[in-house]
Amino acid sequence: MQDQVLLDQILTCHRNEPGGLLPVLRDLQDGLGFVPEESYSAIAEALNISVAEVHGVVSFYHDFRTEPAGACVIQVCQAESCQACGSRELTAHAERRLGVALGETRADGAVTLEPVYCLGNCACSPAIAIDQQSHALVDKARFDALTTQWAQESDT
Amino acid sequence: MTRRYFLPADTTAGALGADALAEQLQGALHEGETVVRNGSRGAFWLEPLLEVEEGGERIAFGPLDGRQLGELLATDYTQWREHESCLGSVAQLPWFKAQTRLTFKRAGIDDPLCLDGYLAQQGFEGLEHALHLAPEDIVEEVLRSGLRGRGGAAFPAGIKWRTVAEASAEQKYIVCNADEGDSGTFADRLLMEADPYQLIEGMAIAGLAVGATRGYIYLRSEYPRTWEVLHRAIGKAEAAGYLGDNIGNSNRAFHLELRIGAGAYICGEETAMLESLEGKRGMVRAKPPLPALEGLFGQPTVVNNVLTLAAVSTVLADGAEAYAALGMERSKGTLCLQLAGNIKRGGLLEVPFGMSVREVVEQLGGGTRSGRPIKAIQAGGPLGAYLPESAWDTPLDYEAFAGIGGMLGHGGLVVFDDTADMAAQARFAMAFCAEESCGKCTPCRVGSTRGVEVIDKIIAREDPAANMTLLEDLCDTMEHASLCAMGGLTPHPVRSAMTYFPEDFCKDVGEV
Ligand SMILES: Cc1cc2nc3c(=O)[nH]c(=O)nc-3n(C[C@H](O)[C@H](O)[C@H](O)COP(=O)(O)O)c2cc1C
Ligand code: SF4
Ligand code: FES
């Protein structure tokens, strides 16, 4: 199957790289959108580590997911500089507008709303990122304009 | 007539619409005109900042939106200066005049990936100089410059380098800490995006100084554009012989690899970062051994922040004395301040150490963006204290800050206006620690979770006096019994909020 081919390619590429586990997981997630648990044993074998170690690393880092995310990932910065510029209100607004709670994927799989702790746009807070593309000075109106296709306006 | 337009390709400029403007501009170019996607000068309050260069003159427009650009493009160039968004020459703005730019002197001037541009502006002069020096003389130069680590702990770079240089090992490493996890900081990002060769140069110099032939840049994953720039810069530097087996035709090798983090704040802590580079969970290591002696893969390793390594290029190019002539007392050179939060003119300011917080925030930063009074300023990232007005006259200097129970850290200043709720900020600090703790020690892992609960009780007015005392105890334990600064410094923001803004915790606290 397709996924196996990708995994093999990635493992060949990083097998001899010192400390190659993170690059492997990163490439796999970039390719598949998540790191399937079924891949752990092949990764462990290729890198000569235990399956528990792979599991430990995947669960430690915020970026890795073991389930696919929504078709679009919207991140709202929750860190101090953005807090100082209204990110708490913006987050509540985003949850209402998108119909999904922070940290969750909407039931229809269209959008995942995630917290992020600083996108490096702090001089122009608050900031969000839509599929890794960041936007700064985001007030409610700008948020609405940027997210029209995902709007759902509910009271979750 | 040739005319060049400059529009930054920087993350923040892009986040404010610069890419769309560049496209609009590209579609309207005349014969002999080009668009350069430069880095940002860091005046983020003016982004997107368009600069137009013609006949040796360069004038700026900003912050510019699509409508304004459309207006400009529809009128004759001779009338542009009358446009509402025209700023004249950027260098003449008070915001820039107040600065002394060393590390950021090239930022925003040119295409960051243009090697010729870099060379034309003193680029690789430091490396050329280093190639003619004995390793111990490079270390000596850095020592004499007084350069201290810019990543937070302010440890003298030369001393760390000397330790690594004197260690004997088959393989040594240079690791650049580009994790930039602190909220309110973006100087590393700006430098890497606007002047990536300077970092590459600094790392190569470090390699020569300590005898390391391999280097890693550990970049946070929240910076995809930065990754792109660095990735290309490394490729171009390799092709031009500034990296590889024979740097600058010296027969000496330095190989550089870019690694990307995976969203863990603790991986900014140097030993956790090394674990992460080794492909493990980012758990903090106990010290000793120091990473300088047993670092990456157990080998002697220099771990330095982006700005520290970049500054080394300047030190080697201009000489230690020139660098040390700036600054005050034990804080030498320039400080890269990042103005963030509720601020009118946010961005990067490179100033000599010694200006006061108030001068910077009120005069250069223009006060709050909301126009309301400033209530608190958090200095030094999420582990830094919230400073009340009485502390704003403190000069920006490592020791002076330590003197008021704060820290300068990576140089981030986050401004809050009077609508901020300091109990909520204290709660967040605890919650952040609970979320980001590596889990190795109990005071941090469990203490921070308890901290959130206790603050919730205080806010809910459940036995506030007893719970305030409990919170104090908890802070004491975290401070004294944590292995690293994550648990050890989280009490900073919490305590400062309690001490200076008690009214936000419970109204009747006066009677407590
Ligand atoms: C919790 C924690 C987070 C840190 N985050 C960073 C960071 O993001 N970037 C950085 O350069 N240093 C960070 N540091 C400091 C590093 O551990 C280390 O002191 C620094 O990288 C050394 O480089 P320097 O001497 O050039 O400052 C952090 C420290 C702690 C305890
Ligand atoms: S203080 Fe926290 S982050 Fe630091 S080692 Fe202990 S548990 Fe890990
Ligand atoms: S704190 Fe939100 S972008 Fe930095």
Side-chain angles (χ1 to χ4, degrees):
Chain A
M1 96 209 175
Q2 203 59 29
D3 296 1
Q4 191 61 48
V5 176
L6 178 71
L7 180 58
D8 287 343
Q9 275 172 357
I10 292 170
L11 289 174
T12 310
C13 181
H14 297 293
R15 174 169 274 138
N16 296 316
E17 186 174 330
L21 181 55
L22 264 79
V24 165
L25 297 173
R26 166 75 48 198
D27 286 0
L28 197 58
Q29 177 151 314
D30 283 350
L32 302 179
F34 68 111
V35 180
E37 287 183 45
E38 301 84 73
S39 66
Y40 292 2
S41 57
I43 296 173
E45 196 177 327
L47 301 182
N48 202 16
I49 53 179
S50 70
V51 172
E53 267 176 277
V54 179
H55 179 82
V57 167
V58 173
S59 60
F60 183 84
Y61 293 96
H62 298 305
D63 283 2
F64 299 131
R65 42 173 120 252
T66 50
E67 301 283 330
C72 163
V73 178
I74 300 179
Q75 298 171 305
V76 183
C77 180
Q78 305 290 311
E80 285 87 345
S81 174
C82 289
Q83 289 165 8
C85 299
S87 65
R88 289 192 180 92
E89 294 78 5
L90 181 67
T91 305
H93 175 75
E95 290 181 314
R96 261 197 317 276
R97 164 134 173 118
L98 302 173
V100 60
L102 192 67
E104 309 275 322
T105 297
R106 204 163 72 189
D108 65 359
V111 47
T112 296
L113 185 65
E114 275 186 349
V116 63
Y117 295 89
C118 196
L119 295 161
N121 290 318
C122 336
C124 302
S125 292
I128 69 167
I130 302 177
D131 287 336
Q132 294 247 47
Q133 166 67 52
S134 63
H135 304 272
L137 288 179
V138 183
D139 56 15
K140 289 178 191 169
R142 191 157 139 80
F143 185 87
D144 290 353
L146 289 166
T147 57
T148 40
Q149 64 265 56
W150 301 286
Q152 212 167 52
E153 301 283 354
S154 79
D155 281 314
T156 2
Chain B
M1 196 55 110
T2 56
R3 185 184 297 163
R4 291 202 294 166
Y5 296 98
F6 294 83
L7 251 179
D10 166 90
T11 295
T12 297
L16 293 167
D19 299 337
L21 287 186
E23 228 168 273
Q24 188 182 349
L25 188 57
Q26 202 81 48
L29 290 187
H30 296 100
E31 181 84 27
E33 297 182 345
T34 47
V35 178
V36 178
R37 298 303 303 274
N38 54 330
S40 175
R41 293 179 186 259
F44 290 120
W45 53 288
L46 293 174
E47 295 287 3
L49 180 74
L50 171 74
E51 288 182 80
V52 190
E53 182 193 76
E54 190 173 69
E57 229 196 337
R58 190 158 156 166
I59 57 166
F61 302 83
L64 203 68
D65 61 26
R67 176 191 58 84
Q68 293 169 318
L69 179 61
E71 280 169 14
L72 286 171
L73 293 170
T75 53
D76 188 79
Y77 182 63
T78 51
Q79 268 128 53
W80 283 28
R81 278 178 186 275
E82 271 98 75
H83 193 269
E84 54 178 2
S85 65
C86 183
L87 302 160
S89 156
V90 180
Q92 295 309 312
L93 296 175
W95 205 79
F96 280 99
K97 277 186 150 172
Q99 302 188 47
T100 307
R101 289 201 162 196
L102 294 182
T103 300
F104 286 90
K105 68 181 171 196
R106 281 178 291 256
I109 307 282
D110 210 338
D111 172 358
L113 288 165
C114 175
L115 258 175
D116 289 337
Y118 185 64
L119 289 164
Q121 297 176 74
Q122 268 202 302
F124 288 118
E125 279 182 19
L127 180 63
E128 290 294 341
H129 185 202
L131 284 168
H132 292 99
L133 291 178
E136 54 274 23
D137 293 338
I138 306 176
V139 173
E140 187 58 32
E141 194 78 13
V142 173
L143 265 173
R144 278 192 293 121
S145 73
L147 174 66
R148 293 167 71 178
R150 300 293 191 234
F155 189 79
I159 293 182
K160 192 183 281 183
W161 288 24
R162 191 167 62 195
T163 311
V164 179
E166 287 172 355
S168 61
E170 283 284 299
Q171 181 67 58
K172 299 178 187 176
Y173 297 98
I174 309 297
V175 171
C176 170
N177 190 342
D179 198 54
E180 195 157 70
D182 288 355
S183 157
T185 62
F186 42 79
D188 295 352
R189 180 187 68 63
L190 177 62
L191 191 277
M192 291 184 282
E193 289 185 25
D195 198 10
Y197 295 124
Q198 186 180 187
L199 172 60
I200 293 172
E201 178 178 357
M203 291 185 73
I205 293 170
L208 292 173
V210 305
T213 54
R214 301 204 82 86
Y216 287 90
I217 298 175
Y218 187 88
L219 177 71
R220 75 193 272 100
S221 62
E222 288 85 346
Y223 290 173
R225 280 193 192 215
T226 318
W227 185 88
E228 187 70 34
V229 176
L230 279 179
H231 180 71
R232 291 172 60 195
I234 290 172
K236 291 185 83 165
E238 266 169 11
Y242 292 105
L243 288 174
D245 285 323
N246 179 20
I247 54 170
N249 291 320
S250 65
N251 272 323
R252 286 192 270 177
F254 190 70
H255 297 270
L256 187 53
E257 198 180 308
L258 181 57
R259 280 284 184 90
I260 189 158
Y265 177 73
I266 195 58
C267 289
E269 195 282 335
E270 58 185 359
T271 62
M273 188 178 65
L274 296 174
E275 291 286 306
S276 184
L277 278 170
E278 291 181 6
K280 303 177 194 149
R281 298 156 51 144
M283 303 288 278
V284 173
R285 298 178 186 168
K287 290 190 239 180
L290 291 172
L293 296 172
E294 284 180 41
L296 188 61
F297 303 116
Q299 303 303 308
T301 303
V302 168
V303 181
N304 273 139
N305 173 252
V306 174
L307 299 185
T308 315
L309 290 162
V312 163
S313 308
T314 309
V315 169
L316 267 290
D318 298 347
E321 283 66 31
Y323 193 83
L326 294 166
M328 66 185 275
E329 300 179 12
R330 287 171 54 209
S331 299
K332 297 296 191 196
T334 52
L335 172 65
C336 301
L337 272 182
Q338 296 127 87
L339 282 189
N342 194 332
I343 185 98
K344 205 184 222 158
R345 297 193 282 268
L348 179 115
L349 291 167
E350 185 171 356
V351 293
F353 284 94
M355 277 178 101
S356 78
V357 179
R358 192 190 298 274
E359 272 176 290
V360 168
V361 170
E362 290 181 353
Q363 287 166 27
L364 295 172
T368 61
R369 199 197 302 153
S370 63
R372 303 182 64 96
I374 300 175
K375 178 166 179 175
I377 299 173
Q378 187 178 29
L383 307 177
Y386 285 100
L387 305 174
E389 177 158 16
S390 58
W392 301 343
D393 293 311
T394 311
L396 292 155
D397 159 274
Y398 295 120
E399 275 68 34
F401 259 63
I404 57 160
M407 62 173 194
L408 213 41
H410 188 267
L413 295 178
V414 177
V415 177
F416 290 78
D417 74 9
D418 62 351
T419 61
D421 173 355
M422 302 315 289
Q425 296 311 123
R427 185 189 191 280
F428 174 79
M430 281 292 188
F432 185 69
C433 180
E435 178 76 20
E436 299 295 331
S437 162
C438 85
K440 190 156 182 160
C441 47
T442 323
C444 166
R445 188 187 65 237
V446 181
S448 52
T449 307
R450 291 288 163 273
V452 175
E453 294 165 5
V454 175
I455 296 175
D456 280 342
K457 284 186 187 154
I458 296 170
I459 295 171
R461 316 276 294 274
E462 258 177 62
D463 206 353
N467 279 311
M468 285 291 253
T469 313
L470 189 59
L471 187 57
E472 279 287 356
D473 280 353
L474 203 57
C475 284
D476 269 343
T477 311
M478 289 177 72
E479 200 167 281
H480 296 115
S482 295
L483 182 60
C484 85
M486 179 82 213
L489 295 181
T490 292
H492 261 181
V494 177
R495 276 218 175 97
S496 56
M498 286 162 72
T499 310
Y500 302 121
F501 309 95
E503 63 283 3
D504 285 5
F505 285 77
C506 41
K507 289 220 173 55
D508 45 3
V509 77
E511 297 141 38
V512 165

